[in-house]
Amino acid sequence: MGVTVRAQPSASEGYPGQGSNSSQGLRETPANTRLLKACRREPADCTPVWLMRQAGRYMAEYRRLREKYTILQLIKTPELAVEVTLQPISAFDLDAAIIFADILPPLEAMGLSLDFIRGEGPVIHNPLRSEADVAALRVPDPRDRLGFTIEAIRLARRELNERIPLIGFSGAPFTLASYAIEGGATRNYVMTKRMMYNQPQAWQALMDKLADMVGEYLKAQAEAGAQVVQFFDSWAGALSPADYRRYVLPYSRRAIQAAQSSGAPVIHFSTETAGILELIKEAGGDVIGVDWRVNLADAWRRLGDGVAIQGNLDPVALFAPLSELEQQVDHILGQADGRPGHIFNLGHGILPQTPVEHVAALVDMVQELSAVK
Ligand code: CP3
């Protein structure tokens, strides 16, 4: 099948001729410009590839650290967060690092009590139910209350030494609101939508606070050195087009505009949003994420040339034999058809049981099959 797995220099080796660890004076290489060029819809030597949740349980190195530390300890200790951030970078030829964190610590910073329970996922012990609960939420300076992630970004930039760019991220107001109100994951978003429909003032106040928090948090991450930021609206697909427009879009737009004022490009990610892609674009972003339920060529027709597109391999395709995986990669690259402004990614995060060798092979396939001859 003609795709080989290459050995990678470790993240700490750096490259000859690269001077100091300063984040200034970027020395341009194909690898450190691919993602940024794609965000600007400029042609690059090949399609940049990174994977959502590229650091995580499918890697033995991550599982070993998790035997000693909880996920919140990893996130809140900048040196450990950087170590995890770099694990997939040492293992695979990825075109970007994403800072290791989670979308939920900002809710803790705002006054909610957050836990990750093994086998269950995230839990908020004091979920929002009333207007008074919303009124009690703080909107702190993220540089202060989320300083561990801001510091991790500074350290990670230094460690990456301009080899590849660093991505920062935040949850979007709607996705964060759903955790804050439901207290955890949900299937039908009944409590979230109940507040939206029945307590419009509480909803508006909550989304106002979340939009301010998210915008400022993304700005702070860009100021600390994140060269691109991703806005995760993972659950926006739960909404009808009319509800998305009325109850979510204005707040997402405000947060994205605040983030863009830093100069960093914004990737607007969501899933199951084939029915509202145009609205996702209207809410903003330099790059629009699409999942595997959408044909990439159709997505381009609908979104137009004014935005770049990120996606859209089904994360479960990584469980297929390599020959099938290669066909799927080739199919996606065929739909992108060499248009500048394609970032290859999964349509959602990588799953814990994913075979590591298939991740390595995927990254190499994308770069080899998309290389400009
Ligand atoms: O992409 C990366 O590598 C950066 C790290 C990252 C994590 N979470 C680490 C993590 C990112 C970008 C996230 C985003 C996130 N977190 C989202 C949005 C993206 C998506 O997948 O939709 C959401 C909805 C969350 C909330 C969250 N965090 C859930 C639902 C869970 C539990 C999932 C599970 O499988 O247990 C988490 C925990 C979490 N966040 C893990 C990781 C690596 C697994 C925790 C562990 O080590 O046990």
Side-chain angles (χ1 to χ4, degrees):
M1 47 153 279
V3 171
T4 49
V5 177
R6 290 187 296 251
Q8 284 310 300
S10 86
S12 55
E13 277 175 49
Y15 284 116
Q18 262 178 316
S20 68
N21 281 342
S22 148
S23 61
Q24 311 299 317
L26 176 75
R27 180 174 174 277
E28 292 202 356
T29 66
N32 73 17
T33 50
R34 256 172 226 151
L35 178 81
L36 297 164
K37 281 180 171 164
C39 289
R40 298 190 297 256
R41 305 185 308 284
E42 293 167 9
D45 62 323
C46 67
T47 303
V49 52
W50 68 281
L51 305 172
M52 285 181 278
R53 297 264 186 113
Q54 63 193 23
R57 282 172 298 191
Y58 76 102
M59 291 188 78
E61 299 90 313
Y62 178 83
R63 292 195 302 271
R64 272 199 292 279
L65 269 186
R66 281 282 279 111
E67 285 166 16
K68 285 201 274 179
Y69 305 102
T70 66
I71 177 164
L72 283 174
Q73 284 172 325
L74 292 180
I75 290 172
K76 292 181 180 183
T77 313
E79 292 74 17
L80 291 174
V82 171
E83 184 179 341
V84 178
T85 299
L86 298 178
Q87 284 175 345
I89 304 312
S90 307
F92 316 113
D93 196 7
L94 292 156
D95 290 310
I98 178 164
I99 196 66
F100 187 77
D102 193 79
I103 62 165
L104 299 175
L107 294 181
E108 186 175 59
M110 295 175 81
L112 298 180
S113 161
L114 169 68
D115 240 340
F116 286 90
I117 297 176
R118 206 178 273 276
E120 273 183 52
V123 175
I124 304 280
H125 296 295
N126 53 346
L128 305 172
R129 292 295 148 79
S130 67
E131 208 171 336
D133 293 342
V134 173
L137 276 186
R138 300 184 291 265
V139 183
D141 186 339
R143 294 161 192 83
D144 177 20
R145 293 301 305 271
L146 296 161
F148 41 85
T149 296
I150 301 302
E151 180 58 18
I153 287 173
R154 278 196 204 96
L155 291 174
R157 264 307 287 279
R158 209 177 304 152
E159 286 293 319
L160 285 166
N161 196 17
E162 312 303 350
R163 267 182 68 207
I164 50 172
L166 179 65
I167 301 172
F169 70 90
S170 170
F174 175 73
T175 292
L176 291 177
S178 80
Y179 283 101
I181 297 167
E182 307 280 345
T186 171
R187 185 182 288 269
N188 292 317
Y189 303 86
V190 173
M191 288 185 276
T192 308
K193 291 181 182 180
R194 205 192 274 158
M195 184 183 284
M196 210 166 83
Y197 298 135
N198 296 320
Q199 298 165 274
Q201 285 180 345
W203 179 260
Q204 195 181 330
L206 172 59
M207 292 295 278
D208 266 330
K209 286 185 174 183
L210 289 170
D212 288 347
M213 182 77 203
V214 168
E216 203 54 33
Y217 184 36
L218 290 173
K219 247 165 64 180
Q221 292 183 53
E223 285 161 11
Q227 291 132 299
V228 175
V229 294
Q230 179 154 318
F231 180 83
F232 278 93
D233 212 354
S234 308
W235 311 140
L239 295 158
S240 73
D243 283 352
Y244 180 83
R245 179 180 285 289
R246 176 168 172 194
Y247 295 109
V248 174
L249 190 153
Y251 306 98
S252 284
R253 177 187 280 150
R254 189 141 60 79
I256 290 170
Q257 282 176 352
Q260 283 171 326
S261 73
S262 69
V266 175
I267 304 172
H268 188 165
F269 166 78
S270 58
T271 68
E272 301 201 54
T273 44
I276 59 170
L277 264 193
E278 291 81 0
L279 294 177
I280 296 286
K281 178 187 169 189
E282 206 176 312
D286 302 274
V287 182
I288 304 297
V290 296
D291 72 22
W292 61 96
R293 299 166 183 93
V294 186
N295 176 300
L296 221 51
D298 289 343
W300 245 293
R301 248 188 314 278
R302 290 171 61 186
L303 294 170
D305 295 331
V307 290
I309 292 186
Q310 174 171 282
N312 64 344
L313 184 74
D314 182 346
V316 181
L318 281 163
F319 294 81
L322 290 182
S323 55
E324 167 70 22
L325 180 62
E326 187 170 17
Q327 274 181 34
Q328 295 219 11
V329 170
D330 200 44
H331 190 58
I332 289 171
L333 292 172
Q335 289 170 18
D337 196 22
R339 290 180 188 83
H342 179 214
I343 300 167
F344 196 103
N345 204 320
L346 306 175
H348 205 163
I350 196 166
L351 295 163
Q353 308 81 5
T354 303
V356 174
E357 325 77 68
H358 287 206
V359 175
L362 169 66
V363 172
D364 290 342
M365 284 172 190
V366 173
Q367 291 171 348
E368 290 176 20
L369 295 174
S370 69
V372 176
K373 306 281 184 314

